[in-house]
Amino acid sequence: ARDFLLCAGWCLPEDELDDALASVLSKSSLPADAHFSYDQLTAALRFLKKGKDNISVGALADAFLSVTPEEGFDMHRLREVVCAGKHPALSANELDEV
């Protein structure tokens, strides 16, 4: 179900995705054995759209593209670009979640 939300464009930490999924089950937390119908998954999408700002997948992709091969690709550089660039896409904690 998390993968469905990610593929639908919601680039958020897992706990936020889990909250949206739990909400459609009327639960306070997501059960480990939860199963979802398509209608429930789309309800989770509506929940996210209504209550959350999506961390733009495009902004994340732009951050990845701004790291050149000459500079190397390490977590320190990724954190600089994604969390402290001109347009931060994620906080340091959110990047750790991703």
Side-chain angles (χ1 to χ4, degrees), residues 33-98:
D33 61 347
H35 296 281
F36 297 88
S37 68
Y38 180 76
D39 289 341
Q40 288 172 315
L41 292 172
T42 56
L45 289 174
R46 283 191 292 280
F47 174 85
L48 286 168
K49 188 174 182 179
K50 179 175 51 170
K52 299 269 181 214
D53 287 332
N54 190 9
I55 298 169
S56 167
V57 173
L60 186 57
D62 288 344
F64 279 116
L65 292 173
S66 71
V67 177
T68 65
E70 297 81 35
E71 295 171 327
F73 190 83
D74 61 26
M75 278 304 291
H76 177 71
R77 177 67 180 140
L78 181 61
R79 190 175 308 281
E80 283 178 7
V81 172
V82 174
C83 303
K86 281 193 272 185
H87 305 286
L90 301 169
S91 71
N93 288 340
E94 291 167 331
L95 179 59
D96 290 341
E97 282 286 319
V98 171

Side-chain angles (χ1 to χ4, degrees), residues 1-13:
R2 277 189 216 122
D3 289 343
F4 175 86
L5 297 177
L6 289 168
C7 289
W10 284 92
C11 184
L12 294 170

